[in-house]
Amino acid sequence: MRVGSQLDHVGLSASQARERLAEGGPNELPRPNRRTPLRITLEVLREPMFAMLLAAGIIYLLLGDRTEALVLLGFAGLSILITIVQEARTERTLEALRDLSAPRALVIRDGETVRIPGREVVIGDILVLEAGDRIAADALLVEARELEADESLLTGEAVPVRKRAALASDLDEAEPGGDDKPHLFSGAVITRGSGIARVSATGMRSRIGQIGRFLETLETQAPHLQKETARMVSLCAVGGVAVALLVVLLYGSLRGDWMAALLAGIATAMSLLPEEFPVVLTIFLAMGAWRIAQTGVLTRRASAIEALGAATVLCTDKTGTLTLNRMTVTELWLPSGTVTDLTERLPQREFHELIGAAALASAPVPVDPMEVAFHNIARDVRVPARADWELVHTYGLRPDLLAMSNVWRSETRGEPLTVAAKGAPEAIARLCRLDGEARQALEQAVEAMAARGIRVLGVATAQTAGDDLHKGHEGHDFTLLGLVGLSDPLRAGVPEAIAQCGSAGIRVVMITGDYPVTARAIAEQAGIGSRDIMTGDEVRALSDAELRARVKDVTIFARTMPEQKLRIVSALKAAGEVVAMTGDGVNDAPALKAAHIGIAMGRRGTDVAREAAAIVLVEDDFGAIVVAIRLGRRIYDNIRKAIGFIFAVHVPIAGLAVSPLLLGLPLVLGPIQIALLEMIIDPVCALVFEAEREERRIMERPPRDPAERLFAGRLVLPSILYGGIAFALLLALHIFTTYWGFAPDRVRALLFFTLVASIMALVLVNRSFSTSFMGALWRNNPSLRYVAAAVLIACGFILTLAPLRRILDFAALEPVDLPLLVFVPLVVLGLCELVKARGGRLA
């Protein structure tokens, strides 16, 4: 259609638009390439842990031990498959969360209004804006008619802000947020009014684009567990190879059989090579991601799981994270002084007139969040419907009078018209010509509500004749009906979740773009301490060192910009905290990426926030964060249990492989026997310990020290002691049976099966840090039952099938040998439990 003369804007010509599009590029942010299964596979294969798994398998193939090589490569393939399936599923879910419909814009080209894809908007384009439109690019208002915009995407403020037409002195660029500014920003939504704006920035030059560019400069840190495991594997591998070479030299020089010496060296290397470490890490994290996904938490990077259990500070945005990002009527006040709190009950009938007038003063089809709230409360309390009423006139907001009115004609002709007004309390007081005690009572009520972080609007009504519409807004005789208090309510379960964080030693810090009063009120409702508040301006004024000192005590940061949120997160990290950051807006993205654990909201969250985060909450449930932290602690505990078991079980295996050389005893463990043992150890590590239940009071202990090493002495030394107990008893059995005259193949069989039984005893010892053997024995773990049954069946086959015994060089056991198979593991279990009870294991 032709643009009306009142607009008097021709806009760009089609040729100008094409030239500028070619010169400046499309109006869109670079979209990250979707992580296809092939791409995920390549990323997984580049991980050092998988590379070590594959390398170890290849080494075993070169050594000729196909059984162990196939087992090892099989576990590597299983780990890779689990990770690929989980991350591919996550990517598909994230794709479903995206808004795939490209935004469109109404622009003026060659004097005509045309609707074009948002990506084709260029600098200099004239945008025609109406209520409900999403702004396609940064722009400067040329004309504005009662225009308001929701900029919470960029500022975190749930309340729309007023806009005005630009003056000659206004700059093209400004910060988002605040009333009575002429600047519009890409991604914001027009909630009221209409206007004409000239595009000033598109794509990466827009405010959103600047945040996107800033995100590209941030680098994520290498996972702590990955570095720890790589270090320990390297040390153990070097040590194992050195010991294996020493065994070859000792055996060959002492016994003269260099071929047997080579086999003994291979057995020793196999007993010491810690290939289970990367198996544990990769499978536990991949399965952990799957378990967490069952609670509605998508893990985009499995490495983030390790940090969950160590989180010491949880930084959270307010709007859309702690709150619903939906304005709700929470309090009503009448001139009589009667007040009702709607968070606890619906209002009584005496408030219905106030509620009905607030709805009448709003748009019939509301877009503004506050007007939506008025219509919702009117519907909830069933205020009499006025569907037949006709809207005949509207008085809009003016800079000098922040109030608006709607004039309605009832279905009965000839009756006076009804004027419903709402606006700033001082504007409504002016319309009602309040003075003296009435005005003082109003002001006191407003101050009381504002102190609690409630946004307050006054509501009034008047009756007028049809021929009085020409009068100005102030020409009507208004009567004050009362005050309506609105707030963005907390999400359900937030106080409980924050209380659990407190008991777990996790400090919750609110970082918001909202005003300090509102932030303090929400913090008090949520249970976040509000003793120390800092604003964005104060953050800007401090040096990095000063900010690092202050962040230890501040619990609320208000009126913050994206770069200030990033500085706060960086300061907390520099102060030694492990930082989890939640958010949903573009303004949260830099801090989400910089944090150790970035957590984005899935439904209300923006694409930019989800791409920057490592974890996505599908249902925007803040309580799911606590569930994820609980699972993260459980996963880390189970990794430690598995690591402890690995250290413990390798002591008797390595000891039985090396001790015969030093004591002149027959060899009992060769490569094939050790390969068979590894077929038991690997599933125990990967299945049994991964499925272990959480420790008691897991959320009542402080976070672990982020500087604590996974392979610390408090974990490794008790494990070696447990393994040493098993080795001492097995060595004693070896010496006893050898000198008693048992044949070597009978000794080998007896020691092998006793070692298997002792390994299962070590599983029971390592199942829990704090629970006794009897408690651990009855803890539900189906995986343990399946593995134990499989081990028992396999041992039964070996004992009863002569061909299998010949392959393993075993003799059939005598009835007198069977009690030893039970006695030794029971003694191992009893002595280890005694050590644990005396504090040999750290909880």
Side-chain angles (χ1 to χ4, degrees):
M1 67 176 180
R2 183 71 187 174
V3 179
S5 58
Q6 61 179 0
L7 300 179
D8 196 25
H9 296 290
V10 176
L12 299 177
S13 66
S15 59
Q16 286 177 317
R18 284 194 298 270
E19 292 173 2
R20 295 189 183 189
L21 185 62
E23 179 182 351
N27 176 39
E28 61 184 4
L29 302 181
R31 194 179 186 89
N33 294 327
R34 186 178 183 276
R35 297 170 72 235
T36 62
L38 177 60
R39 181 181 171 190
I40 294 173
T41 303
L42 295 176
E43 290 177 0
V44 168
L45 292 176
R46 287 199 298 267
E47 291 288 331
M49 294 299 100
F50 290 111
M52 279 186 266
L53 279 171
L54 297 175
I58 293 171
I59 290 173
Y60 283 128
L61 280 177
L62 295 177
L63 292 175
D65 185 1
R66 294 183 180 179
T67 302
E68 176 65 13
L70 292 176
V71 170
L72 192 59
L73 293 174
F75 269 102
L78 178 62
S79 302
I80 291 172
L81 180 63
I82 291 174
T83 302
I84 290 172
V85 169
Q86 174 60 29
E87 296 207 9
R89 177 181 176 275
T90 298
E91 290 299 321
R92 286 196 301 271
T93 305
L94 288 173
E95 283 291 323
L97 289 171
R98 298 183 197 277
D99 180 12
L100 297 180
S101 58
R104 299 179 67 82
L106 189 64
V107 301
I108 301 175
R109 296 274 177 88
D110 294 317
E112 299 283 341
T113 55
V114 293
R115 193 169 294 278
I116 63 173
R119 68 188 306 274
E120 296 180 9
V121 173
V122 297
I123 294 177
D125 257 329
I126 301 298
L127 299 177
V128 180
L129 301 169
E130 299 288 344
D133 288 348
R134 183 174 293 276
I135 303 169
D138 289 3
L140 199 66
L141 271 169
V142 178
E143 296 182 9
R145 289 175 294 281
E146 303 173 18
L147 192 143
E148 294 183 3
D150 177 359
E151 296 178 350
S152 60
L153 186 75
L154 291 164
T155 65
E157 295 181 40
V159 178
V161 291
R162 296 189 303 273
K163 296 295 180 179
R164 62 168 174 80
L167 304 175
S169 58
D170 288 321
L171 301 176
D172 280 353
E173 295 183 358
E175 295 289 341
D179 287 319
D180 299 320
K181 294 183 179 180
H183 304 92
L184 300 177
F185 298 92
S186 177
V189 176
I190 304 299
T191 59
R192 175 190 294 283
S194 59
I196 303 293
R198 186 185 73 253
V199 174
S200 58
T202 60
M204 295 297 286
R205 294 175 293 276
S206 66
R207 182 70 181 180
I208 286 182
Q210 292 171 14
I211 295 175
R213 185 184 298 110
F214 188 59
L215 284 172
E216 294 177 355
T217 65
L218 297 176
E219 295 182 1
T220 54
Q221 297 178 340
H224 174 69
L225 275 183
Q226 191 179 78
K227 293 187 291 186
E228 280 277 283
T229 307
R231 169 178 165 273
M232 182 53 64
V233 168
S234 300
L235 290 175
C236 291
V238 171
V241 171
V243 172
L245 291 175
L246 181 61
V247 166
V248 172
L249 294 176
L250 284 175
Y251 194 104
S253 60
L254 294 176
R255 303 194 181 188
D257 188 345
W258 289 98
M259 182 58 68
L262 182 59
L263 291 174
I266 291 173
T268 302
M270 290 174 62
S271 68
L272 293 174
L273 187 65
E275 74 276 6
E276 295 93 354
F277 290 155
V279 168
V280 165
L281 179 64
T282 53
I283 288 186
F284 276 46
L285 293 183
M287 290 298 296
W290 177 80
R291 289 185 185 280
I292 290 177
Q294 307 310 300
T295 68
V297 180
L298 297 180
T299 307
R300 301 193 67 243
R301 299 291 181 272
S303 58
I305 297 172
E306 70 173 85
L308 279 171
T312 59
V313 173
L314 174 57
C315 296
T316 175
D317 182 35
K318 180 186 72 69
T319 305
T321 305
L322 294 178
T323 66
L324 294 171
N325 195 19
R326 185 176 69 239
M327 296 304 293
T328 303
V329 177
T330 55
E331 192 167 320
L332 299 173
W333 175 88
L334 298 179
S336 63
T338 305
V339 179
T340 184
D341 183 355
L342 300 190
T343 60
E344 299 177 355
R345 60 183 181 277
L346 288 175
Q348 298 173 348
R349 184 172 298 277
E350 60 184 312
F351 293 94
H352 286 192
E353 184 180 3
L354 170 61
I355 294 170
L360 287 175
S362 305
V365 181
V367 176
D368 182 283
M370 289 184 291
E371 295 190 342
V372 171
F374 292 149
H375 279 271
N376 287 341
I377 188 66
R379 182 186 64 249
D380 291 343
V381 301
R382 299 179 180 178
V383 171
R386 295 173 173 130
D388 296 332
W389 284 30
E390 178 187 359
L391 179 63
V392 295
H393 190 70
T394 295
Y395 295 101
L397 289 168
R398 302 198 316 255
D400 63 323
L401 184 66
L402 299 178
M404 65 164 293
S405 298
N406 285 336
V407 183
W408 297 86
R409 176 181 289 120
S410 68
E411 66 275 13
T412 304
R413 298 289 176 174
E415 290 190 358
L417 304 180
T418 299
V419 186
K422 65 174 173 53
E426 61 273 16
I428 294 297
R430 178 178 159 190
L431 288 176
C432 296
R433 301 174 180 84
L434 296 183
D435 56 13
E437 293 183 1
R439 190 178 189 96
Q440 185 178 1
L442 177 72
E443 291 173 349
Q444 289 176 350
V446 170
E447 290 175 3
M449 287 189 188
R452 296 191 294 275
I454 298 175
R455 185 178 178 90
V456 186
L457 292 181
V459 178
T461 187
Q463 299 292 319
T464 185
D467 55 1
D468 287 339
L469 293 181
H470 66 279
K471 293 181 179 180
H473 198 177
E474 298 169 279
H476 301 288
D477 187 14
F478 283 98
T479 300
L480 177 66
L481 293 181
L483 298 175
V484 179
L486 301 105
S487 61
D488 185 7
L490 280 178
R491 291 183 178 276
V494 166
E496 292 79 6
I498 290 177
Q500 289 186 54
C501 287
S503 65
I506 301 170
R507 183 163 66 99
V508 179
V509 176
M510 181 193 294
I511 308 177
T512 178
D514 218 329
Y515 290 92
V517 172
T518 305
R520 183 191 292 273
I522 291 296
E524 290 176 352
Q525 294 175 34
I528 301 173
S530 58
R531 65 183 185 277
D532 199 351
I533 297 180
M534 182 180 289
T535 64
D537 290 338
E538 292 173 325
V539 171
R540 185 185 295 111
L542 295 178
S543 66
D544 289 344
E546 292 170 333
L547 182 60
R548 185 168 61 249
R550 287 290 307 278
V551 294
K552 297 177 182 178
D553 301 316
V554 179
T555 55
I556 300 174
F557 293 89
R559 300 303 291 165
T560 55
M561 291 291 104
E563 59 273 14
Q564 292 159 1
K565 291 188 177 186
L566 176 62
R567 282 195 67 203
I568 294 166
V569 169
S570 300
L572 287 167
K573 290 170 63 179
E577 307 282 4
V578 176
V579 183
M581 172 73 192
T582 71
D584 63 345
V586 175
N587 58 326
D588 300 318
L592 287 173
K593 187 170 183 180
H596 294 103
I597 314 134
I599 306 172
M601 298 296 168
R603 288 191 178 275
R604 289 185 178 271
T606 60
D607 286 349
V608 176
R610 287 195 291 265
E611 290 292 343
I615 291 175
V616 178
L617 304 183
V618 175
E619 297 298 332
D620 293 358
D621 181 8
F622 185 84
I625 299 173
V626 177
V627 176
I629 291 173
R630 179 187 292 271
L631 283 171
R633 290 189 173 192
R634 168 187 164 181
I635 292 164
Y636 189 83
D637 281 350
N638 288 346
I639 289 175
R640 292 180 67 232
K641 293 173 187 176
I643 294 296
F645 170 76
I646 292 169
F647 274 109
V649 80
H650 273 273
V651 172
I653 293 175
L656 291 178
V658 176
S659 60
L661 305 177
L662 302 178
L663 301 178
L665 299 171
L667 291 177
V668 292
L669 294 182
I672 190 168
Q673 287 85 12
I674 294 177
L676 188 57
L677 288 172
E678 293 293 343
M679 293 180 68
I680 298 173
I681 295 171
D682 286 348
V684 166
C685 291
L687 300 177
V688 174
F689 286 107
E690 191 282 326
E692 273 302 316
R693 291 167 54 187
E694 65 186 42
E695 292 292 299
R696 290 181 301 175
R697 299 181 177 178
I698 193 171
M699 291 298 286
E700 296 179 18
R701 69 189 191 208
R704 72 175 190 271
D705 184 353
E708 179 187 34
R709 290 194 176 279
L710 174 62
F711 300 93
R714 291 183 296 174
L715 172 69
V716 174
L717 294 179
S719 299
I720 292 177
L721 180 57
Y722 299 154
I725 291 172
F727 168 61
L729 292 171
L730 290 166
L731 179 61
L733 179 63
H734 191 185
I735 295 173
F736 171 77
T737 52
T738 299
Y739 285 100
W740 194 261
F742 283 28
D745 53 356
R746 183 182 173 189
V747 172
R748 186 175 293 110
L750 178 60
L751 278 175
F752 178 84
F753 291 114
T754 307
L755 176 57
V756 170
S758 298
I759 289 173
M760 300 308 295
L762 290 174
V763 170
L764 297 177
V765 172
N766 284 271
R767 284 188 66 193
S768 173
F769 294 143
S770 56
T771 305
S772 66
F773 154 67
M774 291 304 297
L777 184 64
W778 297 110
R779 285 173 65 163
N780 184 34
N781 187 339
S783 297
L784 175 60
R785 295 197 295 268
Y786 298 148
V787 169
V791 169
L792 188 62
I793 292 171
C795 290
F797 276 125
I798 296 172
L799 282 171
T800 55
L801 297 179
L804 289 179
R805 292 201 305 271
R806 284 195 297 271
I807 293 174
L808 295 169
D809 200 14
F810 288 168
L813 293 181
E814 303 293 336
V816 71
D817 300 333
L818 298 181
L820 292 173
L821 295 179
V822 178
F823 175 74
V824 172
L826 287 178
V827 175
V828 169
L829 186 60
L831 292 176
C832 291
E833 282 296 320
L834 183 62
V835 171
K836 185 200 292 189
R838 292 182 175 274
R841 168 72 84 192
L842 174 70

